[in-house]
Amino acid sequence: MASERTTPRLAVLASGRGSNLQAILDAIDAGRLDARVAGVFGDRPGALALQRARDAGIPARGLRPRGFASRGDHDAALFAEVAAVEPDFIVCAGYMRLLGAAAIAPWQGRIINIHPSLLPAFKGLDTHARALEAGVGEHGASLHYVTDDLDGGPVIAQARVPVQPGDDAAGLAARVLAVEHPLMLTTLQLLCAGRIVLRDTAVEFDGVPLEAPLQLAANRLEA
Ligand code: GRF
């Protein structure tokens, strides 16, 4: 196992229930992910995600946007706190606010987001209802690098689920969430091991540019 000093440090950004954060914490505890969560940050001080962090003895900070003159000011204050824990990677796991270019720029290639759709389909909110409305046969989740193009950064990996007859948005969301967690963990393992890197706009896996996102199959990522 890597020493404390070389163990990759993660900062997690979350606004809500924090099931992805919990999956990360559980995987670290179980020795399935060689990383350390150095801090959890969000825009809603009462979020369950922040409580989960505190319960695990991890510093957590919620900064309400109200009281800041602009979105940029809020981003800057939040990211100053993020930077203070010296993360190797920033993981947006259900952080529900847009991030401005100025906040993201210093972290290019080191900030990722999980989004509940097969990007580039269904960027933005209410992805499950929109997938049902569109009548797609397949839905899922994407892990991508964050850029100032909302949900538009280079996609690293995806996990797919079938849409079944009679699905409603809640049922479909639950099916997607079940694959989001292994998608998050397997991708983080590769990132933390330095096997996935961003070069300009291309995702490289073991030094080779990906032509298409990696796909999760049986809890492993495949090209
Ligand atoms: C997930 O569906 C994620 O894809 C989306 O927000 C949700 C966060 O869930 N970005 P949780 O807070 O990790 O439970």
Side-chain angles (χ1 to χ4, degrees):
M1 184 145 166
S3 74
E4 182 84 354
R5 218 161 54 80
T6 57
T7 301
R9 295 168 66 82
L10 309 178
V12 177
L13 266 55
S15 300
R17 106 199 115 171
S19 71
N20 278 282
L21 168 67
Q22 193 65 57
I24 293 169
L25 295 173
D26 292 348
I28 291 171
D29 270 358
R32 288 183 284 116
L33 177 63
D34 186 21
R36 169 178 169 193
V37 178
V40 177
F41 304 88
D43 55 333
R44 297 178 192 163
L48 179 56
L50 301 186
Q51 193 53 50
R52 290 181 194 263
R54 291 187 190 107
D55 289 348
I58 292 164
R61 182 85 160 110
L63 268 192
R64 269 198 195 86
R66 217 176 39 221
F68 289 90
S70 66
R71 177 154 63 85
D73 285 359
H74 177 261
D75 283 356
L78 193 70
F79 272 67
E81 304 227 8
V82 170
V85 303
E86 300 183 350
D88 296 293
F89 297 100
I90 300 174
V91 181
C92 300
Y95 183 67
M96 300 308 284
R97 276 176 70 78
L98 289 175
L99 289 170
I104 297 166
W107 301 98
Q108 199 78 35
R110 297 199 291 144
I111 178 167
I112 60 169
N113 178 52
I114 187 144
H115 180 76
S117 78
L118 296 173
L119 290 170
F122 310 119
K123 296 176 180 178
L125 298 174
D126 301 324
T127 58
H128 310 300
R130 286 161 58 212
L132 289 174
E133 211 171 279
V136 293
E138 202 176 37
H139 187 43
S142 302
L143 212 305
H144 66 94
Y145 285 106
V146 175
T147 65
D148 57 356
D149 178 11
L150 175 69
D151 299 328
V155 178
I156 303 168
Q158 294 181 321
R160 296 167 182 273
V161 299
V163 177
Q164 285 166 2
D167 271 347
D168 60 11
L172 186 54
R175 194 175 307 127
V176 171
L177 192 67
V179 296
E180 275 188 32
H181 297 164
L183 178 68
M184 171 67 88
L185 297 176
T186 48
T187 308
L188 270 179
Q189 270 160 0
L190 295 176
L191 270 175
C192 288
R195 296 182 61 193
I196 289 179
V197 294
L198 181 67
R199 292 219 195 282
D200 297 323
T201 57
V203 180
E204 282 187 6
F205 179 40
D206 287 341
V208 180
L210 284 182
E211 282 170 20
L214 296 169
Q215 299 295 317
L216 187 76
N219 283 357
R220 294 195 42 182
L221 282 173
E222 295 175 351

